Amino acid sequence: MDTLVNVRTFLAAARLGSFAAAARSLSVAPSVVSKRIGQLEEEFEAQLFHRTTRNLQLTVDGGRLLPKCQKLLSEFDDLRDVERKDVVQGHLRIDAPGTVTSRILGPIFCDFLVRYPRIDMDLRLIDRLDNPIERGCDLSIGTRPSTFEQIHDVPLMPYPCATYASKAYVEKFGAPQTPPDLAKHSCLVSLLYGTVWHFYGSLGDLAVNVRPRLSVNDTIVLREAVRRDLGIAVLPSSLAESDVRAGKLLRLLPDWRPPPLWLKAWVPTQRSVKPSVQALLDFLRSRLPAVGQPGGTYFAGELTPRDGEAPA
């Protein structure tokens, strides 16, 4: 059991990049973390970290052992969960996008922990989609369409987006009438759509290469750039529609829509049978809005589709 505690400490230090941060996450003193890592290095007969006063880096041996330790701990936690199938318990490791989590998922995760007091959660905010198996996750949440082998793709809720610019930008540079007009404008780019923007409309589908004035992996920063008249961006409607109602932003290209996105969970096949994973998925689906609900809203009431209108 001491070895498993040491392995858990090693993974925390590798993930957080310092003994002090690992100690805070584990509620122990930094000296305890250092002692546990030393014990593990002695047991493995290998140095796991390069230690300096400024940072902590995995050695070659540490990097080689990291995925094996992740698998070991994951399998142990799975075994522990199975021991009491009638009680939802155990440790959940989740990757989720920062903006969506801070605005939507965070309160739901907190309510889930209140509902299931025997669950411990390791929630990591990450805005790129990595294979949850390689990350040692029970599930990953994101909006990008990519998926992986041996992964269950679980849709959670629609994630409507549209094209926006500030009122001042449009007054100065004009509004694009069709997607090809975007090539003449300053565009602000996020990871959701990249530099090739796809649109669909009554005349068919179009793909446009845009010139990025700004590329950023955070949609809050992207919205701020649009607010400050820097250019045109495809934004989640949940972030932009309140500014549209306030007259600060304009929704552009009403006859052309970006491809619809969904907020999804990616669950490794071997983790999908865990009671804690199933409980979390059920809880998320019960709390997140479903598409097409009469009178329903998206993103906690921030965007309500007009009668007869599909979500952006």
Side-chain angles (χ1 to χ4, degrees):
M1 191 60 67
D2 287 344
T3 298
L4 287 173
V5 171
N6 294 344
V7 166
R8 200 179 295 278
T9 303
F10 165 59
L11 294 179
R15 184 178 72 253
L16 298 173
S18 76
F19 285 0
R24 288 193 295 270
S25 72
L26 298 170
S27 300
V28 299
S31 59
V32 173
V33 171
S34 181
K35 180 180 179 180
R36 290 176 181 175
I37 297 299
Q39 290 173 343
L40 201 61
E41 289 177 328
E42 183 177 347
E43 186 169 356
F44 287 161
E45 297 183 352
Q47 183 178 350
L48 301 178
F49 292 105
H50 292 298
R51 303 168 177 81
T52 70
T53 56
R54 293 188 176 182
N55 58 23
L56 189 71
Q57 292 184 337
L58 286 168
T59 63
V60 173
D61 287 334
R64 178 177 55 84
L65 289 169
L66 181 64
K68 296 180 180 180
C69 288
Q70 289 172 331
K71 182 179 180 181
L72 170 68
L73 194 59
S74 174
E75 290 178 348
F76 172 77
D77 288 340
D78 290 348
L79 178 63
R80 183 181 60 182
D81 292 349
V82 170
E83 287 299 309
R84 290 286 304 277
K85 290 186 177 180
D86 58 323
V87 177
V88 178
Q89 62 181 355
H91 191 83
L92 282 174
R93 288 168 294 278
I94 303 166
D95 281 354
T99 301
V100 175
T101 301
S102 62
R103 293 176 58 82
I104 303 167
L105 298 178
I108 299 177
F109 287 140
C110 292
D111 289 345
F112 176 78
L113 292 175
V114 172
R115 170 68 178 80
Y116 295 102
R118 300 188 67 173
I119 289 286
D120 298 323
M121 183 180 293
D122 181 0
L123 177 61
R124 294 167 287 193
L125 303 189
I126 180 170
D127 285 313
R128 67 180 187 273
L129 177 61
D130 291 327
N131 189 328
I133 295 177
E134 296 177 355
R135 293 275 296 172
C137 293
D138 292 296
L139 61 89
S140 295
I141 295 175
T143 54
R144 298 182 69 183
S146 303
T147 190
F148 306 94
E149 293 183 0
Q150 299 181 341
I151 298 294
H152 288 308
D153 198 0
V154 183
L156 296 175
M157 66 174 291
Y159 195 76
C161 295
T163 311
Y164 298 92
S166 69
K167 185 176 181 180
Y169 178 90
V170 171
E171 289 175 349
K172 186 173 182 179
F173 298 104
Q177 300 304 305
T178 64
D181 294 341
L182 290 168
K184 306 172 186 176
H185 287 268
S186 295
C187 293
L188 312 173
V189 173
S190 72
L191 288 177
L192 283 177
Y193 289 101
T195 58
V196 180
W197 291 1
H198 295 266
F199 296 88
Y200 66 95
S202 59
L203 300 180
D205 299 343
L206 289 176
V208 181
N209 286 288
V210 299
R211 178 176 61 87
R213 175 83 192 280
L214 170 69
S215 297
V216 62
N217 66 347
D218 183 89
T219 51
I220 297 292
V221 176
L222 193 70
R223 180 186 62 178
E224 186 62 25
V226 176
R227 285 174 169 176
R228 292 175 180 265
D229 317 323
L230 292 179
I232 298 172
V234 176
L235 289 170
S237 297
S238 64
L239 288 179
E241 285 299 312
S242 59
D243 283 342
V244 171
R245 292 192 292 270
K248 299 177 182 178
L249 298 184
L250 299 175
R251 187 173 179 178
L252 308 178
L253 300 171
D255 297 326
W256 296 90
R257 300 181 183 276
L261 296 177
W262 276 78
L263 188 69
K264 299 180 180 181
W266 289 273
V267 186
T269 302
Q270 64 184 23
R271 307 292 178 85
S272 62
V273 297
K274 290 180 62 174
S276 55
V277 170
Q278 286 300 318
L280 177 59
L281 291 174
D282 290 343
F283 196 82
L284 287 169
R285 284 187 289 240
S286 72
R287 294 289 299 273
L288 293 171
V291 66
Q293 291 178 333
T297 58
Y298 303 105
F299 294 93
E302 293 189 56
L303 173 59
T304 304
R306 294 187 293 272
D307 292 340
E309 178 180 307

